Amino acid sequence: MTALSEFKPGLEGVPATLSGISYVDGQKGILEYRGIGIEQLANQSTFLETSYLLIWGKLPTKEELVEFEHEIRYHRRIKYRIRDMMKCFPETGHPMDALQTSAAALGLFYSRRALDNPEYIREAVVRLLAKIPTMVAAFQLMRKGNDPVQPRDDLDYSANFLYMLKEREPDPIAARVFDVCLTLHAEHTINASTFSAMVTASTLTDPYAVVASAVGTLAGPLHGGANEEVLTMLEEIGSVENVGPYVDHLIATKSKIMGFGHRVYKVKDPRATILQQLGEQLFERFGHDEYYEIALELERVVADRLGEKGIYPNVDFYSGLVYRKLDIPSDLFTPIFAIARVSGWLAHWKEQITKNRIFRPTQIYTGSHNETYVPIHERTCAINLEAETL
Ligand SMILES: CC(C)(COP(=O)(O)OP(=O)(O)OC[C@H]1O[C@@H](n2cnc3c(N)ncnc32)[C@H](O)[C@@H]1OP(=O)(O)O)[C@@H](O)C(=O)NCCC(=O)NCCS
């Protein structure tokens, strides 16, 4: 029998796999992809090159990168039947739900499963990286009653996504900043959505189901959904003067301050530092954002009140401000996180299936035994719904 002392709520600190994909030092604020510091990748690489690094374990040569980029361009379009399916989605639905459904639908259209075939693996990686942004942009246009825009082959990955979203070619600085945002969000060890991807992968199902389950996990407000909530919070605070009382109220009511805290980082998340710099670049180019002053004060006040607990800005704190400056609607922030994280999920999928053992943890049973089945007409006691509700 498993001892209660072995139980770790949220599996905190429990190693779930051996992985060579990324590394985090939460005390020193270090994040590396395949041993390369995130700062170097943000400054010198592109999202697609970084995806190649994550998934195939090494930086591509020039020829390998050109070929990879070419394959992705070629697969960006989505089948008209997927578009038609998406047209039936309610326009009031959340884009993450639309994305999860569309990602799963890819499995219907590309149903061959050959996990031991490197060509199949390559094809699935390319399709998912290529089509997820197209599906996010298509839902955005269709929910406004417009036809989706076809991808443009002359534009690179990020510029093409912004073009499909806005129907106009983006400013090169905006496209570069967006690309760096994708690089920063591409991978982050065994977080909840990656773990979900790994559990799904371990059943040897298809990669579209793996990505669909990870998208569903990313959608929650304690994970990817936090960046959307950060903007709502900044809006609610409204002014620099309100920051102190707002934070004190949240602390007094034991509520979480969105965009702060992390299971692993006990210092400022290195991605938050880079995103803050990117935000500043955008403000310089496209004008100031009144929320930025509020965000700076919030960072100061939270460090003052909760710094000793290791509560500092995480990746979601400044990403919302960057996306807002790029004029992206706030409910697309998490789908954009998903566009980036697909590369990390796929890296873990590939790693998982090459040394697979199905996930099957254990539990500590806290229920009763030897109860008697009572026929329904003899049952008197109503279930206490409040106690049953989480
Ligand atoms: C990310 C998160 C889920 C990590 O949670 P965790 O590792 O389980 O940490 P805990 O919830 O156990 O928090 C540990 C302590 O710090 C406090 N804390 C953690 N995050 C906090 C936050 N954002 N605001 C206020 N207090 C926070 C907790 O109240 C707890 O205090 P206590 O020990 O006095 O009870 C959590 O920090 C959070 O909910 N943050 C807000 C949502 C968010 O930004 N998510 C994106 C993550 S990238």
Side-chain angles (χ1 to χ4, degrees):
M1 230 176 34
T2 315
L4 192 57
S5 59
E6 287 177 40
F7 170 53
K8 305 279 183 233
L11 297 183
E12 181 165 2
V14 176
T17 191
L18 299 176
S19 178
I21 300 170
S22 64
Y23 170 79
V24 172
D25 183 328
Q27 300 298 333
K28 295 191 185 138
I30 293 173
L31 169 62
E32 292 172 345
Y33 294 169
R34 301 283 184 188
I36 304 177
I38 191 67
E39 293 79 7
Q40 286 184 66
L41 292 167
N43 280 330
Q44 297 173 56
S45 185
T46 62
F47 171 67
L48 278 191
E49 186 187 50
T50 298
S51 299
Y52 190 104
L53 168 74
L54 288 167
I55 297 165
W56 276 283
K58 69 169 195 73
L59 284 170
T61 62
K62 200 171 174 193
E63 293 72 34
E64 285 167 338
L65 183 59
V66 167
E67 196 188 336
F68 186 52
E69 286 175 344
H70 174 77
E71 282 174 65
I72 296 219
R73 270 170 223 264
Y74 182 75
H75 284 281
R76 278 172 180 167
R77 282 162 198 255
I78 49 174
K79 288 184 186 291
Y80 79 86
R81 288 205 286 170
I82 294 185
R83 279 208 313 270
D84 285 357
M85 176 195 79
M86 293 177 73
K87 270 185 195 149
C88 301
F89 294 172
E91 62 275 13
T92 49
H94 196 283
M96 277 303 268
D97 295 328
L99 179 60
Q100 188 183 22
T101 311
S102 321
L106 286 176
L108 281 167
F109 288 90
Y110 307 103
S111 59
R112 186 173 76 98
R113 189 188 310 140
L115 301 185
D116 50 357
N117 179 345
E119 267 173 42
Y120 172 82
I121 304 238
R122 171 96 176 191
E123 232 173 65
V125 164
V126 164
R127 279 207 181 100
L128 279 157
L129 281 170
K131 293 185 197 300
I132 294 275
T134 312
M135 295 193 299
V136 171
F139 181 66
Q140 168 62 12
L141 291 194
M142 288 194 284
R143 71 176 167 163
K144 292 196 297 185
N146 299 324
D147 273 331
V149 169
Q150 290 293 350
R152 257 185 47 193
D153 288 352
D154 60 318
L155 296 177
D156 69 22
Y157 194 81
S158 290
N160 173 61
F161 173 70
L162 294 176
Y163 164 74
M164 290 190 297
L165 204 58
K166 297 279 160 198
E167 302 181 76
R168 59 170 190 275
E169 213 174 303
D171 176 278
I173 293 190
R176 173 63 194 155
V177 164
F178 185 81
D179 198 70
V180 177
C181 288
L182 295 186
T183 301
L184 295 177
H185 286 84
E187 159 64 8
H188 208 244
T189 73
I190 314 301
N191 53 82
S193 60
T194 301
F195 187 47
S196 164
M198 286 163 55
V199 172
T200 310
S202 80
T203 69
L204 300 185
T205 184
D206 68 77
Y208 307 103
V210 169
V211 167
S213 67
V215 170
T217 311
L218 184 68
L222 295 188
H223 193 3
N227 56 12
E228 198 179 329
E229 309 240 347
V230 169
L231 271 199
T232 313
M233 177 182 70
L234 293 176
E235 206 173 309
E236 259 171 38
I237 295 175
S239 72
V240 171
E241 300 71 55
N242 288 343
V243 170
Y246 187 91
V247 170
D248 290 337
H249 173 72
L250 288 185
I251 294 174
T253 54
K254 295 200 176 305
S255 310
K256 292 277 167 65
I257 305 155
M258 287 294 139
F260 285 85
H262 198 277
R263 174 64 61 81
V264 184
Y265 292 117
K266 299 305 163 203
V267 295
K268 185 169 176 177
D269 185 329
R271 300 165 300 172
T273 306
I274 303 172
L275 280 161
Q276 184 175 3
Q277 290 157 2
L278 292 177
E280 283 171 1
Q281 269 181 39
L282 287 178
F283 303 148
E284 218 168 272
R285 171 129 180 115
F286 300 112
H288 190 65
D289 186 313
E290 82 258 26
Y291 286 1
Y292 186 48
E293 303 305 328
I294 302 176
L296 288 177
E297 178 64 1
L298 192 57
E299 181 173 348
R300 193 192 64 74
V301 171
V302 175
D304 179 55
R305 312 285 205 270
L306 297 171
E308 61 184 25
K309 274 192 187 175
I311 309 295
Y312 288 98
N314 60 45
V315 69
D316 291 314
F317 188 56
Y318 286 109
S319 62
L321 285 178
V322 170
Y323 296 145
R324 183 173 129 98
K325 202 71 216 168
L326 293 173
D327 198 23
I328 293 173
S330 59
D331 62 358
L332 289 191
F333 296 173
T334 318
I336 288 169
F337 191 158
I339 290 175
R341 190 52 65 84
V342 165
S343 76
W345 294 330
L346 289 171
H348 285 275
W349 165 63
K350 198 162 159 285
E351 192 175 66
Q352 182 65 38
I353 59 174
T354 48
K355 53 170 175 80
N356 190 51
R357 182 129 202 254
I358 189 167
F359 277 95
R360 187 27 173 122
T362 186
Q363 63 166 15
I364 293 168
Y365 179 61
T366 60
S368 56
H369 293 285
N370 298 323
E371 295 279 1
T372 307
Y373 178 82
V374 180
I376 197 158
H377 60 274
E378 289 174 25
R379 292 176 215 160
T380 50
C381 185
I383 291 173
N384 181 350
L385 276 178
E386 215 172 284
E388 290 284 309
T389 312
L390 195 71

